[in-house]
Amino acid sequence: MNFQLTEERQMLQDSLRRFLADRYTVTARNKAIADPSGYSSAIWTQLADLGVLGALLPEAVGGYGGAGFDIATIFEELGRAGVVEPVLDTAVLCGSLLCGPHDAQPLPRDRQYLERLIAGDLQLAFAHGEPASRYERTWVETTATVGGQDIVLTGRKSVVVNAEAAELLIVSAREGGASGDRDGLSLFLVDPKTAGVRMQGSALLAGGRAGEIELDGVRLSPSARLGAAGGAAVRVESALAAAEVALAAEALGAMETATRLTMDYLTTRQQFGRPIGTFQALQHRVAEMLIEVEQARSAVINAAGHLEGAPQVRDRHIAAARNLIGRTGRHIAEEAIQLHGGIAMTAEYELAHIAKRIVMSEHRFGDADTQLERFIDLSAA
Ligand SMILES: Cc1cc2nc3c(=O)[nH]c(=O)nc-3n(C[C@H](O)[C@H](O)[C@H](O)COP(=O)(O)OP(=O)(O)OC[C@H]3O[C@@H](n4cnc5c(N)ncnc54)[C@H](O)[C@@H]3O)c2cc1C
């Protein structure tokens, strides 16, 4: 495995890091968080102009990346700056769902959506999780039944990130099989304004917004189906794998920031006539944080390098990375807060937000315990 970034990725990383350092200030971020959409549309357009969205998607659909290392490079920077814009949901999750499997050609309709996504002109949300699905990836109780010429969706979707801002929802629903089965799962493109779609939005703890969605006999044309009827599990699993690599890299970037802020604080905060960072007890704790960041970096590189691999091997490496980052991320966030003392609590200070991003990232797509169980299952299979 090559650990060096290619020249193009290095350039993208440098320009994204500069852009976010200049523009993504605490004030700008807090403004984005307070916006009714949960993000800044100005920043979104600029991210698109910088090529960030295109770099997350393959050339075959008009992008210029899409590999595990493209995703990891970008998300490490987004995490470093604590970005709340829905890049993960619109571009990685929904972008992957629209692209479909590597060897498939998206329909012209889906290609057009992908072009608009890359241009920064389309917001999407993946309506997949349900009140009873917990971290089960194919647990879907929402049904898609035939009603005359139409497909009729009925069910509920929970914590659909970016749902209120999304022009289109990608909704998973069951056309056959039992709730947890891989077979029988389909995806549908749903305009949230369609009759029968009800949405209740709320703010997320670490920035951004999500919606609770009720689908009450939503009638769709069969052409709204994305991919083959009943065969969406592969598409869903590979989109979730890409999203988990993104999330792991994002947590890594945030862990780096938390550690850097802590080191800065310890070298400036004076107690007993000297910087508190001169006390060995605190140096040991920071040394532990630095080791954990390096472990997390290795885990992200390993997961990113396996994203294009066979599903079972891919998912095993991703589960390992997410388990490690879930544990070490929480430890770093807690240490950073404690070492900062009281100022860690203020919303005007960077760390308060970064620590929340780290802690909450563990709870998406499976926490550390779930990832450990997944790793054991995948290793035994
Ligand atoms: C809203 C709020 C309510 C609070 N309520 C309470 C309360 O009810 N009771 C209470 O006890 N505290 C409370 N605190 C915490 C308290 O006010 C301080 O935050 C805490 O004592 C740490 O001091 P500091 O913020 O000055 O951090 P700093 O002095 O900057 O220290 C930062 C870190 O370094 C450690 N440290 C500093 N010097 C040394 C040293 N020489 N050796 C080893 N470690 C060192 C500190 O323990 C801390 O972890 C509250 C804080 C907040 C924000």
Side-chain angles (χ1 to χ4, degrees):
M1 201 175 284
N2 183 0
F3 296 126
Q4 296 294 322
L5 290 183
T6 60
E7 206 176 318
E8 291 82 7
R9 286 187 188 126
Q10 187 66 60
M11 277 165 55
L12 182 63
Q13 182 181 54
D14 292 345
S15 54
L16 181 56
R17 188 177 298 186
R18 266 198 309 275
F19 168 75
L20 293 171
D22 291 346
R23 302 294 309 277
Y24 215 74
T25 58
V26 177
T27 314
R29 185 200 300 121
N30 285 347
K31 205 168 148 218
I33 290 173
D35 192 280
S37 65
Y39 71 97
S40 156
S41 55
I43 293 283
W44 185 264
T45 306
Q46 288 165 46
L47 289 175
D49 291 348
L50 267 179
V52 168
L53 306 179
L56 296 167
L57 293 162
E59 278 179 37
V61 298
Y64 24 90
F69 287 115
D70 297 306
I71 294 173
T73 304
I74 287 168
F75 273 85
E76 188 183 333
E77 295 311 313
L78 298 178
R80 191 189 300 280
V83 170
V84 299
E85 277 58 28
V87 184
L88 181 88
D89 299 280
T90 289
V92 180
L93 263 180
C94 294
S96 303
L97 291 172
L98 285 169
C99 287
H102 291 305
D103 49 356
Q105 277 297 320
L107 296 175
R109 171 200 65 185
D110 302 338
R111 282 188 71 99
Q112 278 178 12
Y113 286 138
L114 286 159
E115 280 165 22
R116 287 184 53 207
L117 190 168
I118 291 167
D121 182 34
L122 181 68
Q123 285 291 345
L124 300 163
F126 182 30
H128 183 54
E130 300 188 354
S133 58
R134 313 289 296 171
Y135 293 132
E136 293 287 332
R137 332 204 117 203
T138 54
W139 188 279
V140 170
E141 295 179 19
T142 298
T143 54
T145 49
V146 177
Q149 302 289 307
D150 297 334
I151 303 275
V152 184
L153 300 189
T154 304
R156 273 188 65 191
K157 297 288 176 181
S158 269
V159 200
V160 180
V161 181
N162 202 36
E164 294 160 298
E167 187 179 317
L168 271 180
L169 304 170
I170 301 181
V171 179
S172 59
R174 195 161 280 292
E175 295 198 80
S179 300
D181 288 354
R182 291 184 77 250
D183 287 341
L185 211 56
S186 295
L187 294 169
F188 297 92
L189 293 164
V190 179
D191 181 337
K193 293 194 280 300
T194 312
V197 178
R198 277 195 293 277
M199 195 184 297
Q200 175 70 50
S202 62
L204 292 168
L205 194 64
R209 293 186 63 82
E212 295 298 304
I213 296 176
E214 200 175 326
L215 304 154
D216 185 8
V218 178
R219 298 190 87 85
L220 305 171
S221 152
S223 65
R225 195 186 281 110
L226 185 62
V234 173
R235 212 179 261 247
V236 169
E237 285 161 351
S238 61
L240 289 173
E244 287 206 86
V245 167
L247 203 57
E250 185 182 342
L252 166 65
M255 287 158 73
E256 288 174 319
T257 298
T259 306
R260 177 183 56 75
L261 289 171
T262 305
M263 289 167 71
D264 290 350
Y265 186 74
L266 295 187
T267 51
T268 49
R269 167 76 173 157
Q270 302 274 332
Q271 280 277 45
F272 314 113
R274 53 203 273 205
I276 59 174
T278 57
F279 292 109
Q280 203 176 32
L282 302 195
Q283 289 172 2
H284 284 165
R285 288 167 68 171
V286 174
E288 199 70 41
M289 291 166 77
L290 288 166
I291 291 167
E292 286 177 337
V293 168
E294 285 315 306
Q295 283 183 324
R297 177 179 303 290
S298 302
V300 167
I301 292 171
N302 188 45
H306 284 95
L307 186 59
E308 287 82 42
Q312 191 180 330
V313 178
R314 171 195 73 191
D315 290 347
R316 182 157 49 84
H317 286 283
I318 291 174
R322 294 262 295 136
N323 170 267
L324 180 117
I325 291 171
R327 288 181 291 115
T328 56
R330 201 177 332 127
H331 183 241
I332 283 185
E334 288 170 359
E335 285 290 88
I337 288 172
Q338 212 199 10
L339 290 168
H340 269 85
I343 76 156
M345 312 295 286
T346 66
E348 289 74 20
Y349 183 57
E350 182 87 0
L351 180 69
H353 173 74
I354 295 289
K356 279 195 270 185
R357 296 285 302 174
I358 297 171
V359 172
M360 293 320 294
S361 76
E362 186 201 340
H363 298 287
R364 253 197 118 177
F365 313 126
D367 60 13
D369 289 344
T370 307
Q371 300 291 356
L372 180 61
E373 283 167 19
R374 188 173 291 156
F375 179 82
I376 293 167
D377 291 346
L378 288 162
S379 302

